[in-house]
Amino acid sequence: MNPDIPDACNELAGALGRLGPRWAEHGRQLAAAVTFTVSGRPGVGVSTVVRALSGAGISVGGDGGDVRIRVLAEAAKPEDQAALRWTGGPTVVVLAKADLLGPAEPGPNAVPLRGLLAVAGLDPAVLDDPMLAALRTLTTAPADLSSVDAFVTAPHIIPVDQRQRLLDSLDLFGIARAVLELRAAPGIGAVALRRVLREVSGIDAVLSELEVAVAEVRYRRLLGVAAELEALAGTAPDVGELLRDQRTVAARTAAAGAVVQAVGMSVGSPGLAEATRWRRYADGPVTALQRACAADLARWALR
């Protein structure tokens, strides 16, 4: 996530603090970390998603996060639809247990995630020496992977408790994928195998969606503060001066750039051509938030 945004926000927060207590609170909100909340119906894999996100460096808190992550197992149920009607900020929808759904598309607004594989790919404690040894054994002594019961109950040289641990940590899909990888490259170690499991888990796509959401949260915070500054600029010289201050411009530009970059756009060098490009972008089929970003970037390009 863009490291320049917190720095720019921190500088502006300090400037706001010097305007008085009311503005100091706005400054603290600008500088605050973006928070995350994960929710979902019982049994859909919320705890596994939380573990995966924690392994990727995302700290998940209680209710009321700036970004909400809704975990689905299949289609959205009425409880899910009600949760998705929340308008207090961005929501990222995660389709957990994607390995159980086959090749079906999850829909345009859901990111598929194989949660157990994400945890195994991110937490070195999961794929330890006994687990790796068991997986290597399966490359030469195949087990019945047709069902969970068959894998556990059918006779095999790997002890039942170890097979159960494989299931709990990787599920059938992960076991099969790891065995295929080890057969193709017998010499790979735990680090390389974790990398493969992470790649197939879908966690990086989830993190990309969260990056978009974080950029939106930070930009909306800045827009709220800027709107109050603009309302008071005519009667408070200090406020008007801060509105034109380079720190304010830098914070808005960094935040706006992060929003458009998170959805695949690039920000070029300042100048008339860049300003014209963003003006044209704003006239296209974009959201109101993206249009506001384009206006800020166009102004920046002309400064």
Side-chain angles (χ1 to χ4, degrees):
M1 301 188 183
N2 194 328
D4 296 332
I5 299 174
D7 291 342
C9 288
N10 287 338
E11 289 192 26
L12 179 55
L16 286 168
R18 289 188 285 274
L19 292 179
R22 172 189 177 186
W23 294 102
E25 177 58 30
H26 282 301
R28 284 191 288 272
Q29 291 175 5
L30 282 180
V34 175
T35 58
F36 301 87
T37 298
V38 180
S39 67
R41 294 180 293 106
V44 299
V46 170
S47 61
T48 303
V49 172
V50 170
R51 287 177 63 201
L53 292 175
S54 297
I58 301 294
S59 179
V60 177
D63 295 337
D66 298 309
V67 177
R68 297 196 179 189
I69 302 158
R70 185 68 182 183
V71 182
L72 310 182
E74 296 175 354
K77 305 298 184 183
E79 308 97 297
D80 300 315
Q81 297 289 0
L84 294 175
R85 284 194 287 270
W86 178 66
T87 57
T91 298
V92 173
V93 181
V94 172
L95 186 66
K97 303 183 181 181
D99 51 301
L100 303 181
L101 300 177
E105 291 294 329
N109 299 317
V111 187
L113 176 68
R114 295 180 171 96
L116 287 176
L117 298 198
V119 174
L122 291 162
D123 183 357
V126 174
L127 200 61
D128 56 16
D129 290 344
M131 286 275 284
L132 188 58
L135 290 169
R136 290 192 190 282
T137 299
L138 290 174
T139 64
T140 56
D144 188 343
L145 293 173
S146 61
S147 69
V148 169
D149 288 342
F151 181 71
V152 174
T153 60
H156 199 274
I157 59 175
I158 298 176
V160 171
D161 60 343
Q162 186 66 17
R163 278 180 276 161
Q164 186 62 57
R165 187 182 172 211
L166 285 169
L167 278 175
D168 293 341
S169 301
L170 300 175
D171 218 329
L172 290 175
F173 178 89
I175 295 170
R177 185 66 181 82
V179 169
L180 285 175
E181 194 67 26
L182 289 168
R183 281 176 179 162
I188 68 170
V191 174
L193 189 55
R194 283 200 303 270
R195 190 179 303 118
V196 171
L197 294 177
R198 173 173 180 158
E199 287 174 357
V200 301
S201 72
I203 187 64
D204 290 314
V206 174
L207 295 177
S208 294
E209 289 297 315
L210 292 179
E211 186 172 357
V212 174
V214 167
E216 178 181 329
V217 168
R218 291 198 177 280
Y219 185 62
R220 288 190 184 279
R221 287 177 181 176
L222 279 163
L223 288 183
V225 171
E228 291 205 40
L229 287 171
E230 289 164 0
L232 296 174
T235 58
D238 288 348
V239 171
E241 182 178 344
L242 180 57
L243 190 60
R244 298 183 295 273
D245 190 283
Q246 179 59 29
R247 288 166 295 189
T248 306
V249 175
R252 288 188 67 154
T253 301
V259 172
V260 297
Q261 287 171 332
V263 295
M265 296 288 291
S266 61
V267 178
S269 301
L272 181 59
E274 182 73 358
T276 301
R277 181 168 78 98
W278 288 114
R279 288 297 186 189
R280 288 174 177 166
Y281 175 80
D283 291 336
V286 296
T287 66
L289 185 76
Q290 291 168 332
R291 191 170 294 112
C293 291
D296 273 334
L297 291 170
R299 283 192 289 269
W300 158 79
L302 290 173
R303 285 178 69 90

